[in-house]
Amino acid sequence: MKISVIGTGYVGLVSGTCFAQMGNSVTCVDIDQNKIDKLSQGIIPIYEPGLETMVLENYAKGTLKFSVDIQYAIASTTISFIAVGTPMGEDGSADLQYVLAVAKSIGQYMQHYMVVVDKSTVPVGTAEKVRAAIQAELDARGSDLTFDVVSNPEFLKEGAAIKDFMHPDRVVIGADSDKAMQIMHDLYEPFMKNHDRFIGMDIKSAEMTKYAANAMLATKISFMNEMANICERVGADINKVRNGIGSDSRIGYSFIYPGCGYGGSCFPKDVQALAKTAKDFGYTPRILDAVEAVNYDQKHVISQKVFNRFGQNLEGKTFAVWGLAFKPETDDMREASSITIINDLIAAGATIVAYDPKARHEAEHFYLKGNSQVNYVDGKYEALKDADGVILVTEWQEFRSPDFEEMKKLLKGAVFFDGRNQFNKERMAEMGFEYFQIGV
C-alpha cells in the first residue's frame, strides 16, 4: 500500500518505518527541513532500540522516503496517517492546531479517495473536527472527492516500540465505514499472522480507548506510590506488599512498582487531557484528578528524603544523579522525575553531577539547559567522585548490579537514595550504606 505519515516525531517515525518494513511504500513528511535532511542522511533524532537499523535498511531499499513536500505525499498515497504533536494546553486540554492544519492540507491536496487516520493521541470527537476541516477544503475546491476518517490509537512503549508495533497485542481501529475498516484490516494483517488482534469499533470509542488505557496504567502507578507512602508511615515494607498483592492474578505485577513518579510524553498529558474532557462534559473525574495530584507530589519524595538527611540548606553539597530519562531505553525527558528532583536540590544550593547513557544531550540542551549547578559525565562511577550521596532516578540495566565497594571508595559519604527501589535495604546496610528507599 502507498502510505503517507505526516509528522516524524516518535509515533510517526516508528509507525512509518514499521509499515515500510512490511513492504509498503511509505513517505514520512515533516515541515522541519533540517530534520528531514538528517533523516535522509541516516541521522535519527530519537533513541529507540532497533529503530536506526530499520530506518537505514528501508531507506536504502526505497520503501521509506522522507520529504517536506506534503502536497506530493498526499496526492500520491491512499492512506494518510496524522501523527503530529498534540501538546498540552494551559488548561490541560490537547492542542489540536497541528492535527487540524494537516487535515486542511489533506483537503487541499488529495486527488482520489483516501483513508485519513488519526494516529496522534486526540480527545474524543477529534475525528469529527478532522472530517469537517477536510470537507471544508474540498467544498472550497468544488470537489466531490470522498474520504473516510479513522481513529487508530498507538500503544507503543518507549524503549520497546519496534517490538510493540511489529508484534502488537491489539490493533484498535475506529471507523464508521466498512470500506475504511477493511482497508485498515488489510494494512495490519501482516502484523497479525499468528493471531488476529484486530479490534474494530466506532470512532469515539477508539479515541477513548487510548486515554482510558493510559489513565488506567497511570492510576496503578499512583495507587502503588500512595500505598508506599502509607507503608512508610505505618512501618510496613511496600516491596513485600507488592509481592503479596501482585501474586493475585486479578492484580498482577505490571505497573505496581513504587517509585518517584511517572513521566514521559503520554501519561501526564493524557491523564490531564481526559480529565479536561470529562469536565467539559459536566463530569468531575475525581480519580483522575487524584492520580495526577499523587504523581505531582511523588516527584518531590526523593528530594524530601535528601532534605531530611542533609537539611534544607545544601550549599557545598554535591549529589550524583544516576539516570535522567523518564524511563530506561529512551532519551526522552519529557515530564521526567529527574527534572523535579534536580531543580529541588539546586534551589537549596546543591551541585549535581549527572549521568545517563542516552539522555545527556536532552538535559544539557533542553530540559536543564544553562544550569551551571548541573555537571555531566560519561560514566556512572565518574559521577560519584567526592559526592555526598547518589540518587538513582532511572532504572537503566547498568545500574542494577554496580560495584558497591568501588562506589564507597569514590563517594564522600556512602549515602544512597533509591528512587526505584532496586536493592535490598538489609543487604545495603550490611555493605555499609545509608540507604533510603520509597515506602520502606
Side-chain angles (χ1 to χ4, degrees), residues 82-97:
I82 301 177
V84 293
T86 54
M88 185 169 57
E90 291 184 4
D91 60 355
S93 62
D95 186 344
L96 297 178
Q97 62 173 311

Side-chain angles (χ1 to χ4, degrees), residues 16-24 26 54 57-58 61 63 166:
T17 302
C18 290
F19 282 131
Q21 182 74 10
M22 286 300 189
N24 297 288
V26 180
M54 196 177 284
E57 176 185 327
N58 285 281
K61 289 193 297 187
T63 53
M166 298 300 290

Side-chain angles (χ1 to χ4, degrees), residues 332-389:
D332 194 345
M333 282 187 63
R334 284 174 287 186
E335 303 288 335
S337 300
S338 62
I339 300 171
T340 300
I341 294 167
I342 289 171
N343 284 333
D344 282 350
L345 300 185
I346 63 177
T351 296
I352 302 296
V353 182
Y355 167 69
D356 187 287
K358 295 297 178 183
R360 173 175 175 169
H361 181 271
E362 294 295 302
E364 206 166 4
H365 296 278
F366 298 102
Y367 296 97
L368 297 167
K369 182 180 179 180
N371 199 312
S372 61
Q373 291 171 257
V374 183
N375 304 298
Y376 303 92
V377 293
D378 296 323
K380 61 178 182 285
Y381 296 121
E382 188 180 351
L384 303 179
K385 188 175 180 181
D386 295 326
D388 293 278

